[in-house]
Amino acid sequence: MMGVSSWLVWLHGGFKGQKLPLAVYSFQLLLNFLWTPIFFGLHQIGLALVEILLLWTAIGATMYLFWNVNTLAAYLLVPYILWVSLATTINFYIWLYSGDSLDSMKKNA
């Protein structure tokens, strides 16, 4: 659905005509890619939480920009932002209860 969404926007002028929407889309794809190695590879739960919050914001910005070009393109991203919302919640609770939270850092200081 993400690919179809970006294709629908691309149809309205290609990369030249839709530079900002497709750039923000590309940025959120990069953030999406980076979350997995930060969370699972590096085990940096707090950093992954910050990163996924940036991802969620970038998806919202992408949806807003896509809406102005093609409303269906924006709607096609709804399942994606819902999934990332769930992943953000899980990431938050793992951070909160893993000893990686600010409270546990203060206790150890």
Side-chain angles (χ1 to χ4, degrees), residues 60-82:
T62 300
M63 291 175 72
Y64 174 79
L65 292 168
F66 278 19
W67 180 271
N68 294 324
V69 178
N70 182 307
T71 54
L72 178 59
Y75 279 124
L76 286 172
L77 295 178
V78 169
Y80 177 38
I81 200 165
L82 291 175

Side-chain angles (χ1 to χ4, degrees), residues 22-43:
L22 293 174
V24 174
Y25 173 80
S26 297
F27 178 65
Q28 66 81 27
L29 280 179
L30 175 66
L31 290 172
N32 184 321
F33 171 78
L34 291 175
W35 183 84
T36 300
I38 294 170
F39 187 87
F40 291 108
L42 299 174
H43 303 285

Side-chain angles (χ1 to χ4, degrees), residues 31-58:
L31 290 172
N32 184 321
F33 171 78
L34 291 175
W35 183 84
T36 300
I38 294 170
F39 187 87
F40 291 108
L42 299 174
H43 303 285
Q44 294 293 317
I45 308 303
L47 180 60
L49 180 59
V50 171
E51 198 275 352
I52 203 167
L53 289 168
L54 289 171
L55 171 59
W56 192 92
T57 304

Side-chain angles (χ1 to χ4, degrees), residues 10-12 19-20 32-35 37 46 50 58 65 70 75 84 86 90 96 102 104 108-109:
W10 180 83
L11 287 175
H12 292 270
K19 188 180 288 187
L20 181 60
N32 184 321
F33 171 78
L34 291 175
W35 183 84
V50 171
L65 292 168
N70 182 307
Y75 279 124
V84 171
L86 175 63
I90 293 168
L96 187 64
L102 292 176
S104 64
N108 293 331

Side-chain angles (χ1 to χ4, degrees), residues 84-104:
V84 171
S85 297
L86 175 63
T88 302
T89 303
I90 293 168
N91 192 155
F92 171 74
Y93 278 101
I94 291 172
W95 171 77
L96 187 64
Y97 294 110
S98 71
D100 194 24
S101 68
L102 292 176
D103 288 336
S104 64

